[in-house]
Amino acid sequence: AKEKPMKGTIVAIGEGERDEAGKRIPMEVKVGDVVLFNKYSGTEIKIDEKKILVMKESDVLAIIEG
């Protein structure tokens, strides 16, 4: 059976990837966006007793609110 996607809110973003020429590729997600992602995407960490999921932008299935 296929798992249903999870929903979360972006709380921070990085600088983005670099292309072959070394230029930054801007991120498509922004802080505050609500996104869908697969249940087993990313790595869960704990900061100040809050669970945070760190993942690549490519693991985001869709931006549903922004």
Side-chain angles (χ1 to χ4, degrees):
K2 194 169 185 176
E3 296 284 336
K4 289 186 178 184
M6 306 290 287
K7 183 167 82 168
T9 302
I10 304 293
V11 296
I13 61 170
E15 296 177 346
E17 289 186 286
R18 293 189 183 269
D19 64 14
E20 292 177 7
K23 293 184 180 181
R24 288 277 179 199
I25 301 169
M27 301 283 281
E28 292 186 33
V29 296
K30 61 186 180 305
V31 173
D33 284 350
V34 177
V35 298
L36 295 178
F37 55 91
N38 287 323
K39 183 175 183 174
Y40 298 108
S41 296
T43 301
E44 192 174 278
I45 62 172
K46 228 180 192 183
I47 298 176
D48 296 330
E49 300 303 315
K50 284 187 174 181
K51 291 181 182 177
I52 305 289
L53 187 63
V54 178
M55 69 173 64
K56 296 180 191 179
E57 184 179 43
S58 61
D59 288 338
V60 174
L61 300 173
I63 300 170
I64 57 174
E65 296 175 24

